[in-house]
Amino acid sequence: MKRFGIAGMLIMALVFGLLSGCKKRKSVAITPRAPAATTPYQSADPADLSEYIRTVLKISQENTVASEEKLAELLKAKPQLVALIQVAGANARDIQSRTLLAEAYFKAGLHRHAFQLYQEIKTIAPQDPIADLGLAKIWNEWGDYALASQHAEAALRLAPDSVKGLELLGKIKLQTNDLDGAISSFLSAIQLAPDNGSLYANAGYVYLARGDFQPARYYLERAVNLEPFLPEAQNNLGITLGHLGDYPNALRAFTIANGRVAGLNNLGVVYMEQRQWADACKAFRQALAIDPTYQKARKNLIEAEKRIPSPTVIELKPFSETSSGIVHLKPSTSQTIASGQFKQGVQVIGEKVETRAKPKPLALSGSTNRVSIAFHDAVARLKNRRYAEALEMFNWLLRQYSEPETVSVCQYWIGECYWGLGDKAKARLAFSRVVAYGNATKRRDALLMLKRIANAERLVTKTAKG
């Protein structure tokens, strides 16, 4: 202890005390009792100590009461996790149950709980890349990109052909604006998984951010050919095509991503970026001719008419819950992205495509204004993952209407609520009802969600058999 002195001893006492306080909560972690296991933080090396202190401080900063309440809600909604906890508790070296628990905790935003489980896995099996991959995801969420990168690289040293590891490292590199490192990771992942549309979309985004428009076009077109329903990829493709002067196809891509009105608005913004003021005004007027209430296009039209040299609004379709691997275009300092879906200028979403279409506003006015407010409030609660509250409100809305279109929209969002709560059976039933309406606005989205539920069930079956 001489190397740290008295101050060092006090710091060590503090962090050990904080960590002990965390471990006393039974629901936080299942501590393995393997006699041969070694603690991952036993070294006195300054670098190890630095990570150790950052870990303890990060965990201690979290709202423990709120975290425990959220955990209780999760276990109530998914009782199968309780069985996994019991299995893990009975077997100090069971990696599979701990991995499944950690993944469930991470998805639910319980990062502290997931972190401690991944630490246990790392103690049990130091050569298993699962733990480092999980820790990399958590540190990325916590905003410590140096530690996130360190763990992602450790996972890749253990499993060099890990597509997930390469993709995650690419996302981390993007957070620090290391575009060369990001493109290297994404291209390496593409070589291993040439049919993964999200990897092509991310690679295309990086090239677009670098101003390399031809390779950006290649990778983004490949992405939408593999998976057509990737709004971010279509949006970035539209921007790329606009820079290349292919305006008709740029408008087509924008329209697929956002609809005709927003597509025309986005095309107008591209014209503004290129100082083509007349063409920009024409695009904004076309958008307003379709929807005179579209304020973004009206605002942009005023600015284009004044020949203000900076673009103002590019609208991206918002998401309530996403896990695709797509990257939104990082806005310039003179841009405002309507959906606000950015973290450090970049949003990277998970591994598979999962789009959420913006709900079509209900045609409500006058005496029904209260219902209209309730609908938008319910959607907002859903986006904030307050699924139970949103579900109650959508069920109330169903009792107010009998029109098939309105009912099908509410049924779709009810399905989203059940999906968020982890009740796949009820989610499937709600989405099936939407599909049954035939020409419902949300029919395509409902079909995609039914496919996702089927894929999730196959994954669970495969995991159980494995």
Side-chain angles (χ1 to χ4, degrees), residues 58-78:
K58 183 65 185 179
I59 291 175
S60 68
Q61 289 167 2
E62 292 197 357
N63 189 326
T64 304
V65 175
S67 179
E68 294 301 320
E69 291 176 350
K70 191 172 183 180
L71 175 62
E73 293 175 0
L74 176 65
L75 296 180
K76 183 178 180 181
K78 297 185 176 182

Side-chain angles (χ1 to χ4, degrees), residues 231 233-235 237-239 241 248-258:
Q234 292 282 7
N235 232 334
L237 177 59
I239 295 168
L241 294 172
N249 281 321
L251 176 58
R252 179 177 178 275
F254 284 139
T255 301
I256 292 173
N258 307 297

Side-chain angles (χ1 to χ4, degrees), residues 27-273:
S27 57
V28 171
I30 305 155
T31 304
R33 294 181 293 276
T38 58
T39 173
Y41 288 119
Q42 63 181 351
S43 173
D45 181 85
D48 290 339
L49 182 61
S50 175
E51 179 175 353
Y52 180 70
I53 291 175
R54 279 186 280 177
T55 300
V56 175
L57 292 179
K58 183 65 185 179
I59 291 175
S60 68
Q61 289 167 2
E62 292 197 357
N63 189 326
T64 304
V65 175
S67 179
E68 294 301 320
E69 291 176 350
K70 191 172 183 180
L71 175 62
E73 293 175 0
L74 176 65
L75 296 180
K76 183 178 180 181
K78 297 185 176 182
Q80 66 271 25
L81 297 181
V82 177
L84 281 176
I85 292 174
Q86 294 171 347
V87 171
N91 187 345
R93 304 191 66 81
D94 185 346
I95 294 177
Q96 184 178 15
S97 61
R98 284 170 170 77
T99 301
L100 293 173
L101 276 172
E103 290 173 352
Y105 290 159
F106 180 82
K107 184 177 180 181
L110 294 165
H111 298 141
R112 177 166 64 91
H113 299 73
F115 181 90
Q116 294 187 4
L117 281 169
Y118 282 126
Q119 286 287 53
E120 291 186 10
I121 296 170
K122 191 172 179 67
T123 300
I124 298 168
Q127 300 304 311
D128 193 324
I130 290 176
D132 277 306
L133 201 59
L135 292 171
K137 290 194 299 183
I138 293 172
W139 280 116
N140 188 47
E141 288 293 316
W142 281 344
D144 192 325
Y145 306 122
L147 280 178
S149 180
Q150 176 183 315
H151 283 290
E153 289 169 353
L156 287 169
R157 283 194 296 271
L158 294 169
D161 293 338
S162 170
V163 174
K164 289 183 179 180
L166 289 166
E167 185 176 19
L168 178 58
L169 183 59
K171 296 171 186 177
I172 295 168
K173 296 294 185 183
L174 274 173
Q175 300 285 8
T176 58
N177 204 33
D178 181 1
L179 299 184
D180 289 340
I183 195 62
S184 176
S185 294
F186 288 134
L187 294 183
S188 296
I190 286 173
Q191 291 181 349
L192 297 168
D195 295 326
N196 187 322
S198 67
L199 293 175
Y200 285 93
N202 283 341
Y205 162 76
V206 178
Y207 279 118
L208 175 57
R210 286 170 43 165
D212 297 334
F213 300 121
Q214 287 295 352
R217 177 176 187 170
Y218 168 78
Y219 283 101
L220 290 168
E221 287 181 340
R222 183 81 172 115
V224 299
N225 285 335
L226 287 168
E227 300 183 47
F229 305 111
L230 298 180
E232 301 93 336
Q234 292 282 7
N235 232 334
N236 287 342
L237 177 59
I239 295 168
T240 300
L241 294 172
H243 280 290
L244 292 172
D246 188 351
Y247 302 114
N249 281 321
L251 176 58
R252 179 177 178 275
F254 284 139
T255 301
I256 292 173
N258 307 297
R260 181 70 177 178
V261 177
L264 285 164
N265 174 73
N266 290 358
L267 179 63
V269 171
V270 171
Y271 281 131
M272 290 177 72
E273 287 182 326

Side-chain angles (χ1 to χ4, degrees), residues 339-366:
S339 64
Q341 299 281 315
F342 289 89
K343 179 179 180 181
Q344 300 295 329
V346 176
Q347 180 188 14
V348 181
I349 317 170
E351 295 159 8
K352 294 293 181 183
V353 178
E354 182 182 349
T355 61
R356 295 291 184 277
K358 186 175 182 180
K360 180 180 179 181
L362 300 179
L364 304 174
S365 60

Side-chain angles (χ1 to χ4, degrees), residues 139-449:
W139 280 116
N140 188 47
E141 288 293 316
W142 281 344
D144 192 325
Y145 306 122
L147 280 178
S149 180
Q150 176 183 315
H151 283 290
E153 289 169 353
L156 287 169
R157 283 194 296 271
L158 294 169
D161 293 338
S162 170
V163 174
K164 289 183 179 180
L166 289 166
E167 185 176 19
L168 178 58
L169 183 59
K171 296 171 186 177
I172 295 168
K173 296 294 185 183
L174 274 173
Q175 300 285 8
T176 58
N177 204 33
D178 181 1
L179 299 184
D180 289 340
I183 195 62
S184 176
S185 294
F186 288 134
L187 294 183
S188 296
I190 286 173
Q191 291 181 349
L192 297 168
D195 295 326
N196 187 322
S198 67
L199 293 175
Y200 285 93
N202 283 341
Y205 162 76
V206 178
Y207 279 118
L208 175 57
R210 286 170 43 165
D212 297 334
F213 300 121
Q214 287 295 352
R217 177 176 187 170
Y218 168 78
Y219 283 101
L220 290 168
E221 287 181 340
R222 183 81 172 115
V224 299
N225 285 335
L226 287 168
E227 300 183 47
F229 305 111
L230 298 180
E232 301 93 336
Q234 292 282 7
N235 232 334
N236 287 342
L237 177 59
I239 295 168
T240 300
L241 294 172
H243 280 290
L244 292 172
D246 188 351
Y247 302 114
N249 281 321
L251 176 58
R252 179 177 178 275
F254 284 139
T255 301
I256 292 173
N258 307 297
R260 181 70 177 178
V261 177
L264 285 164
N265 174 73
N266 290 358
L267 179 63
V269 171
V270 171
Y271 281 131
M272 290 177 72
E273 287 182 326
Q274 300 172 6
R275 304 180 66 83
Q276 299 184 39
W277 309 112
D279 289 327
C281 291
K282 179 180 178 181
F284 296 137
R285 290 191 184 105
Q286 287 177 332
L288 289 169
I290 300 172
D291 182 2
T293 66
Y294 192 53
Q295 294 303 312
K296 295 180 180 66
R298 188 170 300 282
K299 177 182 177 181
N300 288 343
L301 176 60
I302 292 171
E303 295 191 357
E305 289 174 337
K306 293 178 180 178
R307 298 195 173 191
I308 293 178
S310 59
T312 54
V313 179
I314 289 181
E315 176 173 326
L316 300 181
K317 191 171 270 188
F319 295 84
S320 59
E321 176 196 357
T322 57
S323 61
S324 76
I326 313 308
V327 186
H328 287 313
L329 178 66
K330 181 177 180 180
S332 66
T333 55
S334 61
Q335 289 176 317
T336 299
I337 303 298
S339 64
Q341 299 281 315
F342 289 89
K343 179 179 180 181
Q344 300 295 329
V346 176
Q347 180 188 14
V348 181
I349 317 170
E351 295 159 8
K352 294 293 181 183
V353 178
E354 182 182 349
T355 61
R356 295 291 184 277
K358 186 175 182 180
K360 180 180 179 181
L362 300 179
L364 304 174
S365 60
S367 62
T368 60
N369 184 56
R370 180 171 66 93
V371 179
S372 176
I373 293 173
F375 174 83
H376 293 292
D377 185 30
V379 173
R381 290 171 190 268
L382 173 62
K383 291 179 179 179
N384 288 318
R385 300 186 178 183
R386 295 165 65 176
Y387 302 118
E389 297 173 15
L391 178 62
E392 183 178 354
M393 295 180 73
F394 282 123
N395 279 320
W396 178 82
L397 285 163
L398 275 181
R399 295 193 292 271
Q400 314 306 312
Y401 289 97
S402 59
E403 298 90 345
E405 175 61 21
T406 303
V407 170
S408 68
V409 170
C410 290
Q411 283 286 4
Y412 175 81
W413 293 107
I414 285 173
E416 291 277 9
C417 290
Y418 280 125
W419 174 255
L421 291 168
D423 192 333
K424 291 193 288 290
K426 290 183 179 179
R428 184 192 300 107
L429 178 61
F431 292 132
S432 297
R433 287 171 176 168
V434 178
V435 173
Y437 279 100
N439 294 324
T441 301
K442 308 293 291 181
R443 188 174 189 273
R444 187 175 67 178
D445 298 309
L447 287 170
L448 288 172
M449 288 305 298

